[in-house]
Amino acid sequence: LVQNMYGNYAVQHALETWGGERMREVVKQVFARFVVLSNQKCSSNVVEKCLIYTDEETRRHVVSETTKSPDRMNMLLGSTFGNYVLLRAAECVTGPPLKQLLQ
């Protein structure tokens, strides 16, 4: 649904309406495929919403795992849509993961 041209709007609306806590399983599934979904037009918008509406601990974990791999970072930096997800992550994350992201 998150990769669908129209379905992604439904998921975004659910995140905005119910918040990350009630959508925990959806957020978990999205973050399990963080890099792949971040590189696609429709699903990258959902990834950004997940970063906004999830708790700080989950955000830090996802960013930390992503920044550990230079290959993942290069994929996101080289992607039109992944680049925006990284910018959103930089806005949402604080502490050590932010420093890793900015390096």
Side-chain angles (χ1 to χ4, degrees), residues 30-103:
V30 168
F31 284 161
R33 300 181 57 216
F34 184 78
V35 175
V36 172
L37 296 175
S38 294
N39 285 319
Q40 298 174 5
K41 182 178 181 176
C42 297
S43 56
S44 66
N45 295 319
V46 175
V47 174
E48 286 188 53
K49 293 290 183 183
C50 286
L51 285 167
I52 293 169
Y53 290 104
T54 195
D55 60 278
E56 182 68 23
E57 182 181 336
T58 303
R59 239 183 260 133
R60 285 184 185 173
H61 175 72
V62 169
V63 171
S64 179
E65 288 298 311
T66 303
T67 56
K68 284 181 185 177
S69 169
D71 291 338
R72 289 180 187 164
M73 288 298 293
N74 287 334
M75 283 180 67
L76 292 171
L77 288 169
S79 163
T80 303
F81 306 109
N83 199 10
Y84 285 109
V85 172
L86 287 177
L87 289 172
R88 178 68 67 193
E91 290 175 4
C92 296
V93 176
T94 59
L98 177 60
K99 290 178 185 175
Q100 290 174 329
L101 187 60
L102 296 176
Q103 290 179 351

